[in-house]
């Protein structure tokens, strides 16, 4: 019988956790500095029970998703406009290219000064993280749509809006999706930075929980929140981006 | 929409002194030069000639995908300036959309044609897929089809909307002999039943003689019309007909004679 593919990593993971537990328990390191897996588990359990973890995760996810959706909603049409008009490309396009290279954490001070320590500031940071990557990705992938597709569609009578919806957009979709994924990653990183370094008065997110852990010298909390952050990132990939990318590759025969 | 009575027998497509140049990286290339040609409504015109003599360029000009540098192209007396649904192109490379399956690809042009119900569109799409022998492949995406199958889907896609003018660039080149022979029959049937105007490009002289009312021989550098042959054989024609083979041999002789001629000999 074939062993299931998930079995090997699970066994290896359990071995590592067991070794770690034994290492801390044996007293070779201070468990304030290096908490054992069971200690992290205990924090996790208590944070789940008092609801602080769930509410922090919810606050963070809401900011991330709202900002990401706004960023994509701005970035996609603006990117399309840049592909369409060389004037837009030479202005907005070049600006986006420049701002995309700016680490999105750099938007945090700007946002705090402009908006204060509130929801608008975090949202601004997330939007700025998303939007430039999306603009560039959409512009580039629309510009590299095969002219043959456009010619074929046009001889069949496709024009304007129809051409965009039924030809240009589907043809550019793989590039647009990878742009969205990149925008999502930028937004996620800058949101964490904002939440860790600035007290956002309007809501207590995962970053704030991490920051509180540091103040209390609670390594179990710090590591526990980090694991949640990893989990959120993985989940976004697992339930959103990966299925879309797999479907795209499969339906177009790009699978290796 | 103005009516175009099919009794109308004056020239439908008129090319006058058409010249097209491309600014390539290697400099200016004259793809076609001083082409004068008239295609009558309901005529089957075949363009033959060596590679690079401007056959595809001529089709692009007729389709309105490229603009002439000199001269004019008129369709029913109006200048051709942009692509239109009345002139469908089947490209030399199959231009199927990879994000759609075979049936959806065939439906693409049909959906843009007004005045049809969805049921009529699906029926037409299935009819033409069946005609090219791909009824069982309607859910397959282009990458799941062989090269010849893709070309057949492209053929179905260009036939399905039933355009007045059909511009075809080597539509049968990637097909096996059996499918090809069958499609020669089908295309002639469609041509005579639906009274279409067809301009077809091919390298195969026999194919040209089998299908064309007229065969136009082009020569390269720059692309010009060298000779026009009228084919008066009765339809439907069979590719294995001996009379057809004799005529094809004559044209092949003319073609090789032209190719052997020094360039200065051009008139
Ligand atoms: N977009 C373009 N840019 C530059 N040169 C071009 C372009 N399209 C065609 N040409 C040139 O124009 C000439 C005619 O090309 P065309 O594609 O019409 O030839 P063809 O007769 O269709 O050849 P084939 O039988 O190989 O398909 C060639 O010399 C080609 O290099
Ligand atoms: Mg060609």
């Amino acid at each position: 019988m074939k062993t299931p593919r998930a079995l090997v990593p699970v066994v290896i993971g359990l071995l590592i956790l067991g070794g770690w537990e034994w290492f801390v328990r044996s007293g070779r390191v201070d468990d304030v500095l290096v908490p054992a897996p069971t200690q992290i588990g205990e924090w996790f359990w208590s944070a789940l029970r008092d609801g602080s973890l769930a509410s922090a995760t919810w606050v963070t996810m809401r900011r991330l998703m709202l900002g990401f959706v706004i960023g994509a909603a701005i970035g996609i049409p603006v990117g399309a406009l840049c592909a369409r008009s060389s004037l837009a490309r030479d202005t907005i396009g070049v600006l986006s290219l420049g701002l995309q290279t700016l680490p999105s954490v750099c938007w945090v001070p700007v946002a705090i000064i402009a908006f204060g320590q509130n929801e608008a500031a975090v949202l601004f940071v997330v939007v700025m993280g998303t939007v430039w990557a999306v603009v560039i990705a959409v512009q580039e992938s629309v510009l590299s749509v095969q002219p043959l597709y456009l010619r074929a569609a046009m001889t069949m009578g496709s024009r304007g809006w129809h051409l965009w919806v039924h030809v240009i957009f589907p043809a550019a979709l793989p590039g647009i999706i990878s742009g969205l994924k990149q925008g999502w990653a930028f937004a996620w990183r800058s949101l964490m930075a904002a939440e860790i370094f600035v007290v956002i008065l309007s809501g207590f997110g995962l970053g704030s929980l991490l920051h509180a852990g540091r103040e209390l010298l609670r390594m179990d909390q710090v590591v526990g929140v980090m694991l949640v952050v990893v989990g959120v990132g993985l989940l976004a990939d697992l339930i959103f981006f990966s299925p879309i990318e797999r479907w795209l590759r499969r339906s177009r025969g790009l699978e290796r | 929409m103005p009516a175009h009575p099919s009794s109308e027998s004056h020239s439908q497509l008129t090319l006058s002194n058409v010249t097209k140049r491309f600014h390539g990286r290697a400099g200016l290339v004259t793809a076609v030069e001083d082409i004068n040609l008239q295609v009558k409504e309901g005529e089957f015109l075949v363009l033959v000639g060596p590679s690079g003599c401007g056959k595809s360029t001529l089709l692009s000009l007729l389709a309105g995908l490229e603009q002439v540098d000199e001269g004019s192209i008129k369709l029913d007396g109006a200048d051709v300036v942009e692509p239109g649904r009345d002139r469908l192109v089947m490209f030399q490379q199959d231009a199927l959309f990879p994000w759609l399956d075979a049936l959806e690809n065939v439906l693409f042009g049909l959906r843009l044609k007004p005045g049809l119900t969805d049921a009529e569109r699906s029926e037409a799409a299935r009819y033409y897929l069946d005609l090219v022998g791909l009824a069982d492949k309607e859910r397959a995406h282009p990458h799941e089809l062989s090269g010849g199958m893709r070309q057949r889907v492209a053929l179905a896609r260009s036939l399905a909307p039933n355009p007045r003018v059909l511009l075809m660039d080597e539509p049968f080149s990637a097909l096996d002999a059996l499918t090809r022979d069958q499609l020669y029959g089908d295309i002639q049937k469609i041509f005579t039943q639906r009274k279409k105007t067809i301009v077809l490009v091919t390298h195969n002289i026999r194919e040209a003689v089998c299908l064309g009312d007229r065969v136009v021989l082009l020569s390269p550098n720059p692309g010009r019309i060298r000779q026009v042959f009228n084919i008066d054989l009765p339809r439907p024609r069979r590719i294995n007909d001996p009379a057809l083979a004799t005529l094809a041999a004559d044209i092949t002789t003319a073609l090789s004679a032209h190719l052997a001629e020094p360039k200065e000999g051009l008139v």
Side-chain angles (χ1 to χ4, degrees), chain A residues 151, chain B residues 20-25 27 29-32 49-59 66 92 169-170 201-203 218 221 223:
Chain A
R151 290 159 68 95
Chain B
K20 176 70 187 173
R21 302 186 187 87
F22 287 107
H23 301 268
R25 272 184 299 177
V29 179
T30 307
V32 290
S51 184
C53 68
K55 305 180 296 293
S56 297
T57 306
L58 264 183
L59 284 197
E66 307 270 4
Q92 191 167 5
D169 204 343
E170 301 186 24
V201 168
T202 180
H203 279 132
L218 296 159
N221 302 317

Side-chain angles (χ1 to χ4, degrees), chain B residues 103 106-107 109-111 113-129 159-162 194:
Chain B
L103 186 68
V106 179
L107 275 169
L110 283 165
R111 290 222 171 95
K113 190 178 171 166
L116 293 177
T117 65
D118 280 350
E120 285 167 334
R121 292 192 171 105
S122 310
E123 194 191 340
R126 292 214 163 83
Y127 172 80
Y128 283 100
L129 268 184
L159 292 174
N162 193 21
R194 302 265 169 107

Side-chain angles (χ1 to χ4, degrees), chain A residues 151 156 159 250-253, chain B residues 60 83 85 88 98-99 141 143:
Chain A
R151 290 159 68 95
M156 288 187 275
R159 289 286 186 291
R250 189 165 298 166
S251 66
R252 293 174 195 206
Chain B
S60 292
R85 246 186 321 108
L88 259 184
W99 55 91
H141 278 249
H143 70 93

Side-chain angles (χ1 to χ4, degrees), chain A residues 86-110:
Chain A
S86 59
L87 179 67
R89 189 153 63 245
D90 293 342
T91 51
I92 307 171
V94 172
L95 182 78
S96 307
L97 204 60
L99 292 179
Q100 192 211 10
T101 62
L102 182 75
S104 40
V105 193
C106 298
W107 291 104
V108 176
V110 180

Side-chain angles (χ1 to χ4, degrees), chain A residues 19-94:
Chain A
W20 178 1
E21 185 78 33
W22 167 80
F23 191 69
V24 177
R25 289 280 163 108
S26 69
R28 276 165 232 256
V29 284
D30 189 347
D31 68 352
V32 173
L33 287 180
V34 183
T38 45
Q39 289 171 296
I40 298 171
E42 267 164 44
W43 167 80
F44 202 76
W45 182 238
S46 71
L48 267 183
R49 259 194 326 203
D50 68 15
S52 61
L53 187 58
S55 96
T57 308
W58 167 241
V59 166
T60 297
M61 287 309 291
R62 200 186 51 205
R63 289 170 177 163
L64 185 61
M65 293 213 255
L66 195 60
F68 176 72
V69 168
I70 295 173
I74 299 172
I76 292 173
V78 171
L81 178 74
C82 289
R84 181 80 215 253
S85 119
S86 59
L87 179 67
R89 189 153 63 245
D90 293 342
T91 51
I92 307 171
V94 172

Side-chain angles (χ1 to χ4, degrees), chain A residues 64 68 71-72 96-97 99-104 125-141 173-191 236-237 240-242 245:
Chain A
L64 185 61
F68 176 72
S96 307
L97 204 60
L99 292 179
Q100 192 211 10
T101 62
L102 182 75
S104 40
V125 171
V126 176
V127 172
M128 287 298 125
T130 312
V131 77
W132 310 115
V134 175
V135 169
I136 298 297
V138 173
Q139 177 192 308
E140 290 310 311
S141 39
L173 198 57
I176 294 176
I177 295 295
S178 61
L180 286 175
K181 196 171 164 179
Q182 199 184 15
W184 168 268
F186 287 164
W188 187 215
R189 282 161 180 70
S190 49
L191 175 62
D237 212 68
F240 188 63
F241 290 108
S242 286
E245 287 177 319

